[in-house]
Amino acid sequence: YTQVNIAIMRLNFSNRSDDKADDNDQDKNKKVQKLEKPYIKTSSRATITHLKKFLAKKLDLEQPEDVDILCCGKIMGKEYSLEYISKFHWKNEDQLVLKYRPKVHFDRL
């Protein structure tokens, strides 16, 4: 049998003010809010895609792609697992903390 590690993590809302973001981001910023219960207990094999789907459902978003998930200020790839993020991005012994925010769309120059 295969052992599956459990990850307990915190998802914090990241409120950003970015001058380069377009007007659609302003509307999404109003829709994406803080979670009532920011702690999540899940498999360490869960991916960013799983977290995005969870957030979309909890926050009543149209699509999971409407949100970015960050670790240490860097946007995490959709295929990254929590175990991978813990080993290679989270440089802390404490509980894993990820942040989420509305997807950033930049105007093309």
Side-chain angles (χ1 to χ4, degrees), residues 49 52-56 61-68 103:
T49 297
K52 286 184 172 196
K53 287 179 183 179
F54 169 80
L55 285 170
L61 301 174
E62 291 178 22
Q63 297 181 0
E65 294 78 26
D66 288 343
V67 67
D68 284 330
K103 181 93 173 158

Side-chain angles (χ1 to χ4, degrees), residues 12-77:
N12 291 334
F13 176 69
S14 175
N15 192 2
R16 62 171 173 76
S17 58
D18 191 336
D19 296 336
K20 296 179 183 177
D22 64 24
D23 291 334
N24 291 333
D25 287 336
Q26 304 294 330
D27 295 335
K28 287 180 186 174
N29 220 0
K30 293 175 187 171
K31 191 167 185 174
V32 176
Q33 300 296 322
K34 292 181 182 178
L35 289 173
E36 188 176 315
K37 297 178 182 177
Y39 288 95
I40 298 172
K41 183 178 179 181
T42 187
S43 165
S44 62
R45 293 182 182 173
T47 64
I48 292 298
T49 297
H50 293 120
L51 293 180
K52 286 184 172 196
K53 287 179 183 179
F54 169 80
L55 285 170
K57 187 172 183 174
K58 284 288 188 184
L59 301 173
D60 196 30
L61 301 174
E62 291 178 22
Q63 297 181 0
E65 294 78 26
D66 288 343
V67 67
D68 284 330
I69 298 180
L70 301 92
C71 181
C72 300
K74 297 177 184 174
I75 295 175
M76 297 290 100

